[in-house]
Amino acid sequence: MHITKPSELESQKETLRIETFSDGVFCIAVTLLSIEIGVEIHGGLSNAGLKENLLEKWPICLAFLISFINVLLAWMGHHGLFKLLRKTDNSIMITNGLLLMLVALVPFPTKTLGLYLNSDALETATIFYTGYFVLVSLAFRLLWYAAARNKSLLADGITHKQIKQTTRNENIGLICNTVILAVAFINPWIALALSFGMWVYWIVFA
Amino acid sequence: MHITKPSELESQKETLRIETFSDGVFCIAVTLLSIEIGVEIHGGLSNAGLKENLLEKWPICLAFLISFINVLLAWMGHHGLFKLLRKTDNSIMITNGLLLMLVALVPFPTKTLGLYLNSDALETATIFYTGYFVLVSLAFRLLWYAAARNKSLLADGITHKQIKQTTRNENIGLICNTVILAVAFINPWIALALSFGMWVYWIVFA
Amino acid sequence: MHITKPSELESQKETLRIETFSDGVFCIAVTLLSIEIGVEIHGGLSNAGLKENLLEKWPICLAFLISFINVLLAWMGHHGLFKLLRKTDNSIMITNGLLLMLVALVPFPTKTLGLYLNSDALETATIFYTGYFVLVSLAFRLLWYAAARNKSLLADGITHKQIKQTTRNENIGLICNTVILAVAFINPWIALALSFGMWVYWIVFA
Amino acid sequence: MHITKPSELESQKETLRIETFSDGVFCIAVTLLSIEIGVEIHGGLSNAGLKENLLEKWPICLAFLISFINVLLAWMGHHGLFKLLRKTDNSIMITNGLLLMLVALVPFPTKTLGLYLNSDALETATIFYTGYFVLVSLAFRLLWYAAARNKSLLADGITHKQIKQTTRNENIGLICNTVILAVAFINPWIALALSFGMWVYWIVFA
């Protein structure tokens, strides 16, 4: 273990601070999703009426589930990426800001998917939703580009192999999401199923 | 006190980070509950009209109270469980993610209970609400199962007795909530009273 | 400086954790207030129309201002109280939970005050609002009662004088809020002015 | 490195606590912006209808983008300012509280801009929005005034030059925002473009 200089410590604290702020955005975005879900008030509704009303909520619940998993995985990916960083510069601040902005806006495509999953506009809703997550992958790719192009930003002991591995992972994520978007133009349900399959693979093998 | 290895420290920091994120979800879910409660605007309402309007808000306030206590107790239970952990693995990440998803969605059953507590659909609303908390108990039970099946994940100095005790507590929670759900099919008010009695017991004796 | 025992450290960490969670509730409650404020969409509105629309928002903005200050002062009071604590017990958990529940629900009386400040129902709205903060003071008083009745919960070096001082402060807060509630029954505007005067005093002299 | 006295440590912890709370308000305000954005439910909407509906959301998305950048830059400015502080006093608490109140209410002007960006009321909406950020700059200026007038509040090793530099930066921010407000009275689009140009300058050169 080598001696850490004061200025080194300072920039580590800065990086931690940015990560904590980012964690907050992920955490709030994921929890805010829920306030969109609710049954409407109908005066004098019967038990059978409420049951039907609740059962009709499955599309928005499914959209919530999909986005919850997406944001949670994005959070884990974000953390994995920041673990490789020793300090941050302007380009990391900008690309990270772009990523957070997209994460904060996830409730928008989620609501859209939930409202139109069971309608004639399913195709447009799915294209919008899967396209949105292509943008999220792209922001991740840009963040990693900003980090990897400058070796002095990376933590000590990061090997060339680790950098290559992360680059490959970010590329795969971007490609997978783009393929899913392309499939959404052909068949929305297959696109959503592929998206789900990708997580299972991710969770079980990574 | 024994020497902690660097990798040990690293996994402790990881566990803390996951717990902090989970705390954030609990904290936001509990506070978000409140934005559903409000009187509607009625042009030129009189003092008597507003008073009546406010008094009619008791069902949603009661639902808020019940859920606030439920989430606060769940938070304490979650913390108690994480104190036993030294590190996390994939199965803990997944079961914890499942639990957080359910916690984040608590405003949905709470609103439903609040809107229909004083209506003909009380039975369905109570079944939905109590059934939801059976799912929460189940997620807790799964999280503990994921933790307890692998001794290397547990903190040093955890005795066999402590593990058994926690298993018993999680089982009791799951059974109690299932019984309350069963009662809700017979009489919703008794189910809600039982739920309340359970907390009083929990708070006073545990 | 004396040696801190491991169990001592553990209970200090627990106290910090509860305080962090409480901070989160204060922070979210204060920020959530804002989402209630907004102009409604009116198709094809003119510049003059929007200006008028915005100017009509003063009651809700005033209510937001009053509640923001109230919650911020409550946060500072909460922190001052927790600084005196070394560890927590069940009764502190319960009274703190009660306080947090009231803080989380502050948007409800705030909205009510904001919607009816400029209406015939002003009296009822002000009584509800000022009465709500009597409850908040009461929860603070209970929390401090739970803390002060057991000397082993207090931090080392807390003098008898400090305890007495805090008791007096909590009592004064409770009495002031009760007086303001009583005045609200006679004249709502004087009650709100008194409330404002109390903060100025608090901020300048305390 | 000199020895830090216990009371010194205590006031550093206090300052950190206030900064953490402030971070929370920034973080929540920025994420809350998103819940205002959504398409409305229209029974039986077609793919073409949803597409049109989504494309019509550009004004609110643009307003979200502008506010997200504004709040993120304000957060960075807030952090830069707090790094110069060693401890806080009453006047810092008050001016910081004022700043947080304005930050928490950012969703209000954002919504207004988003709803009327593409309407006849654009001028009023832009004046309200740019005027609001003049207030934010003013609060920053006041916070820095409260900090700089008392040397004992500043961190050790802060040079006279650093103080002057920060004063100049805060003044420039306030002047720029005032100029943008003045331009908004003449041409709203130029005002928004200037606002955007200011960030680019800020991000690239500062």
Side-chain angles (χ1 to χ4, degrees), chain C residues 19 34 37 40 47 79 203, chain D residues 14 17 94 111 116 124:
Chain C
E19 200 182 355
S34 78
I37 305 179
E40 286 73 41
N47 280 305
H79 175 48
I203 290 166
Chain D
E14 282 302 288
R17 196 184 134 97
I94 297 168
K111 268 185 277 184
Y116 296 99
T124 304

Side-chain angles (χ1 to χ4, degrees), chain B residues 8-61:
Chain B
E8 191 71 354
L9 241 170
E10 195 59 38
S11 61
Q12 271 175 19
K13 260 171 61 184
E14 282 302 287
T15 310
L16 184 67
R17 198 183 133 96
I18 292 161
E19 199 182 354
T20 306
F21 191 86
S22 307
D23 274 18
V25 172
F26 278 95
C27 191
I28 298 164
V30 108
T31 319
L32 269 185
L33 285 169
S34 78
I35 62 166
E36 299 298 334
I37 306 180
V39 288
E40 286 74 39
I41 314 175
H42 296 286
L45 198 68
S46 65
N47 280 305
L50 177 57
K51 209 181 295 177
E52 204 182 312
N53 213 316
L54 286 172
L55 290 175
E56 272 167 8
K57 290 285 159 195
W58 72 263
I60 186 79
C61 286

Side-chain angles (χ1 to χ4, degrees), chain B residues 77 80-81 84 141 144 148 154 158-174 201-202 205-206:
Chain B
L81 215 150
L84 303 177
R141 189 63 195 85
W144 176 240
L154 298 178
I158 301 290
T159 61
H160 192 66
K161 210 184 127 197
Q162 272 180 293
I163 297 175
K164 254 189 153 168
Q165 180 81 40
T166 308
T167 306
R168 224 197 52 180
N169 283 348
E170 296 299 338
N171 284 340
I172 290 177
L174 181 53
Y201 179 86
W202 206 279
F205 294 98

Side-chain angles (χ1 to χ4, degrees), chain A residues 14 17 21 24-25 28-29 32 35 90 93-94 97 100-101 104-105 108 111 115-116 120-121 123-125, chain D residues 19 23 27-28 31 34-35 37-42 45-47 50 54 64-65 68 72 75-76 79 203 206:
Chain A
E14 283 301 289
R17 196 184 135 96
F21 191 87
V25 172
I28 299 164
L32 269 185
I35 63 165
N90 245 346
M93 290 299 278
I94 297 168
L100 291 186
M101 195 164 63
L105 211 54
F108 177 27
K111 268 185 277 184
L115 290 173
Y116 297 99
D120 286 344
E123 197 187 293
T124 304
Chain D
E19 199 182 355
D23 275 19
C27 190
I28 299 164
T31 319
S34 77
I35 62 166
I37 305 178
V39 288
E40 286 73 40
I41 316 175
H42 297 285
L45 199 68
S46 66
N47 280 304
L50 177 58
L54 286 171
F64 172 79
L65 175 79
F68 197 94
L72 222 59
W75 173 65
M76 283 159 69
H79 176 49
I203 290 166

Side-chain angles (χ1 to χ4, degrees), chain C residues 90-100 139-140 142-144 146-147:
Chain C
N90 246 346
S91 56
I92 286 186
M93 292 298 278
I94 297 168
T95 49
N96 190 50
L98 187 72
L99 177 60
L100 292 186
F140 260 113
L142 283 174
L143 175 57
W144 177 240

